Amino acid sequence: MTLENVNLSRRSLLGLGVAAGVITLTACGSGSGSSDDPLVMTVWGGEADRKTYQKRIDLLVKKHPELKVKLQLIPGDSYPQKVQTMIAGGNGPDIMQVAENVNVYSSKNQLRPLDDLAKSAGLDPKKRFGSIGSIYSYQGKLYAIPDRSGAMIVYYNKTLFEKKGIKAPTADWTWDDALDAFKELTVPGRTWGYGGAGWWAQWWSFVYQNGGTIIDANGKPAVATDEVVEALQWAGDLVFKHGVVPTPKQYADMGADIGGDQAFANGKVGVNTTGFWAISGLAQTKFEWDIAPLWRGKKQAVTAFGSGLAISRTAKNPTNAFKAIDFLTSPEAQQQIIASGEDVPANLEVQRSDAFLKPAWMKTPVDMNVFAESSSFVFHEPFIPEWNEMQTAFDKGLADFWLGKQRDARAALTAVQKNLESIIQSAG
């Protein structure tokens, strides 16, 4: 699942729907720059995203009146095809939102490397964004500047934890600590300890915690190794061996399209691991809840959900485009991301500010510092050009495993490994 689809299916923050078509908005400055043509900026999402991006663009134009920006919001399911068609026609966006499939574009020479522009602007990605500063890199070149980025976190039912006498989860929890808590929280047939880890973002975190990797340093798939097998087996055993995660049938019995996020909100599971977006569905819960960092394995590692801002190869004024990106990822503009409840700003200064730790819309005491704490645990997902094909290989190859029809993680991953070897080109 790419982030575009995550935005549609998992990030329906504040209950707002997806745009039905391309929405175009314009913010104009004085036109005193080197070109009268506006910068075109493409993003995906819904109405909440449109409003927040526009507020940030308005601040940009106020700061730099010589710039003009035209915002195009494109539905996530058609976003990749739309922007690639624009680039192929020589009219690509000047600024474009990208996520896990960033290198689908960069490998086709559709994005402009940003290293020199960042250096000229004095933007230090590591200083501004921490460990994710270079996450959108490919073959040693930076292709996007982080814009939105929040680690996967633990949501836990405080009421249930206190009732069972279980201490709140922390980053120092081990796999054994987590399993022990899940068992204590589970009441067979009624409530389960954990929402599950069948999504790549969840079980891959366990892989990297266990010292494994999905793609090795030479660009080759490495999913049949002991470390990856052990991590996947642990995740699967939570469902079919220990019974602390609902089976697919038990989820289906809860209702249509019910997963960990909804089951947690309904009090059916005591712990859920997911992103920032789940907060919006917890406003009416009948129990107290809070968030915590993900537990650890042999080491700490966690997935980050986010997106970056890139410049297409056909951009007519890359210098102005980067000037805009520089401002849009600055603290002043990034505060709008959390002020509207849209997402987690990638800027670490904002993550550590009162604007983020105590947002005006948050009515429940929540330890928002968890996001900044988790930022140092983030591992770099393999954003390879074959990202979409790789995800399809996992979806098909592990389908029976997650249904309980195939209980052997090694056998499942050995088959996936062979498939990946046939579709992934080595970067070495």
Side-chain angles (χ1 to χ4, degrees):
M1 178 179 289
T2 65
L3 188 70
E4 292 97 320
N5 291 326
V6 169
N7 273 277
L8 295 179
S9 63
R10 302 180 79 113
R11 289 190 173 207
S12 53
L13 199 60
L14 304 181
L16 295 173
V18 176
V22 178
I23 298 174
T24 303
L25 294 160
T26 306
C28 297
S30 63
S32 60
S34 60
S35 173
D36 289 332
D37 293 333
L39 298 170
V40 175
M41 178 175 173
T42 57
V43 300
W44 61 77
E47 180 66 12
D49 300 288
R50 180 194 68 78
K51 290 181 178 179
T52 301
Y53 280 114
Q54 188 59 47
K55 287 180 180 179
R56 295 166 65 195
I57 288 172
D58 290 343
L59 289 174
L60 165 68
V61 173
K62 184 177 180 180
K63 180 80 171 183
H64 298 286
E66 74 278 8
L67 297 181
K68 302 176 182 179
V69 181
K70 182 170 69 174
L71 178 66
Q72 289 188 339
L73 190 146
I74 304 171
D77 55 355
S78 60
Y79 184 87
Q81 181 180 359
K82 176 69 175 180
V83 296
Q84 290 193 65
T85 298
M86 293 168 67
I87 294 170
N91 295 306
D94 297 277
I95 303 168
M96 55 185 285
Q97 185 183 10
V98 296
E100 290 98 332
N101 61 357
V102 56
N103 294 317
V104 174
Y105 305 117
S106 66
S107 65
K108 298 176 181 178
N109 196 34
Q110 294 175 328
L111 300 181
R112 180 179 293 272
L114 302 181
D115 303 88
D116 291 343
L117 288 168
K119 184 176 180 180
S120 297
L123 192 160
D124 184 337
K126 184 175 182 179
K127 183 176 180 180
R128 185 174 291 191
F129 310 106
S131 63
I132 66 161
S134 60
I135 197 169
Y136 300 112
S137 296
Y138 179 62
Q139 295 184 341
K141 295 181 180 180
L142 181 66
Y143 284 98
I145 302 298
D147 184 46
R148 296 157 56 175
S149 180
M152 183 171 69
I153 56 172
V154 173
Y155 289 77
Y156 67 99
N157 185 321
K158 286 181 64 177
T159 300
L160 193 54
F161 267 67
E162 292 172 1
K163 180 180 179 180
K164 295 285 187 176
I166 304 172
K167 292 184 178 180
T170 71
D172 292 327
W173 262 21
T174 64
W175 287 7
D176 287 341
D177 292 329
L179 179 56
D180 288 344
F182 299 159
K183 289 179 176 178
E184 286 289 320
L185 293 165
T186 298
V187 178
R190 195 169 77 185
T191 59
W192 291 262
Y194 180 42
W199 187 26
W200 70 264
Q202 296 161 329
W203 73 269
W204 281 20
S205 292
F206 303 152
V207 167
Y208 284 81
Q209 288 179 355
N210 202 38
T213 186
I214 300 300
I215 304 296
D216 68 20
N218 295 317
K220 298 179 179 180
V223 302
T225 61
D226 290 345
E227 294 82 2
V228 181
V229 169
E230 289 171 3
L232 180 63
Q233 192 69 60
W234 187 77
D237 284 350
L238 294 176
V239 186
F240 301 107
K241 178 180 179 179
H242 302 295
V244 297
V245 171
T247 64
K249 183 180 184 304
Q250 288 167 332
Y251 264 128
D253 289 343
M254 296 180 198
D257 299 322
I258 297 294
D261 293 8
Q262 299 88 347
F264 179 81
N266 294 336
K268 290 292 187 179
V269 300
V271 173
N272 188 41
T273 48
T274 188
F276 170 87
W277 59 83
I279 289 176
S280 65
L282 300 175
Q284 305 300 323
T285 57
K286 298 179 180 179
F287 56 86
E288 292 187 54
W289 60 275
D290 206 343
I291 60 177
L294 185 66
W295 52 85
R296 61 179 298 155
K298 295 176 182 176
K299 60 181 181 179
Q300 290 171 316
V302 65
T303 302
F305 307 103
S307 63
L309 298 178
I311 299 176
S312 80
R313 175 61 69 176
T314 60
K316 298 178 178 62
N317 195 327
T319 300
N320 277 355
F322 194 86
K323 180 186 289 187
I325 291 174
D326 189 8
F327 179 82
L328 291 170
T329 60
S330 70
E332 182 179 354
Q334 291 256 300
Q335 283 189 13
Q336 293 298 321
I337 298 175
I338 189 61
S340 65
E342 181 193 22
D343 207 343
V344 178
N347 190 296
L348 286 182
E349 181 179 335
V350 179
Q351 286 188 23
R352 293 166 177 157
S353 70
D354 284 345
F356 181 81
L357 299 177
K358 300 177 182 179
W361 49 263
M362 180 70 77
K363 305 304 180 184
T364 303
V366 174
D367 184 11
M368 295 289 282
N369 187 57
V370 165
F371 289 99
E373 180 182 356
S374 299
S375 64
S376 61
F377 310 152
V378 171
F379 67 86
H380 286 195
E381 296 97 330
F383 292 166
I384 59 175
E386 303 87 356
W387 174 268
N388 295 331
E389 294 88 342
M390 176 174 65
Q391 289 301 331
T392 298
F394 277 118
D395 289 344
K396 292 181 177 179
L398 299 182
D400 284 346
F401 180 82
W402 293 119
L403 288 172
K405 297 178 180 179
Q406 157 67 278
R407 299 280 295 277
D408 186 347
R410 186 174 297 278
L413 286 170
T414 298
V416 172
Q417 172 74 18
K418 291 180 180 179
N419 193 6
L420 291 179
E421 287 173 353
S422 69
I423 62 176
I424 294 179
Q425 300 176 2
S426 173

